[in-house]
Amino acid sequence: IHVETGKRPDRVTPQDLTYESLYNTYLHEGLPPGAIASPGYDAIVTAMYPANTSYYYFYTKQDKRTVFSKTKAEHDAAIKADTTELPN
């Protein structure tokens, strides 16, 4: 989403998750049509030798802590719990 808009907000909103873009993997299954970043050395090494876990999803909360989830349902619940606490 941020690749297309050029904006880097402090937090992702529920509206961001509905932004129509081929890069929005919440709306379109699979990989986006092009690169979304240039990984650094550490990211490449980590991708080559990933940790052995059963986590498939992660979400960075408003307080910058990361929540790891094993299922899409757990991931969605983590997002919902965090975004329902958003100030009006």
Side-chain angles (χ1 to χ4, degrees):
I1 297 164
H2 302 130
V3 171
E4 284 199 8
T5 65
K7 298 177 183 175
R8 295 300 260 165
D10 290 335
R11 63 179 181 231
V12 175
T13 66
Q15 292 79 22
D16 290 331
L17 303 181
T18 64
Y19 182 83
E20 179 53 51
S21 164
L22 292 177
Y23 288 87
N24 186 345
T25 55
Y26 284 90
L27 298 179
H28 301 283
E29 193 172 320
L31 295 172
I36 57 171
S38 296
Y41 176 80
D42 290 343
I44 292 170
V45 171
T46 300
M48 291 173 59
Y49 306 101
N52 187 15
T53 74
S54 56
Y55 296 113
Y56 288 97
Y57 302 89
F58 73 92
Y59 172 72
T60 304
K61 297 173 61 166
Q62 297 173 70
D63 63 8
K64 308 298 184 207
R65 290 184 297 154
T66 303
V67 178
F68 294 92
S69 304
K70 296 178 182 178
T71 67
K72 180 73 162 71
E74 289 176 357
H75 177 66
D76 291 343
I79 293 170
K80 184 175 182 180
D82 193 44
T83 57
T84 55
E85 299 169 7
L86 293 174
N88 291 338

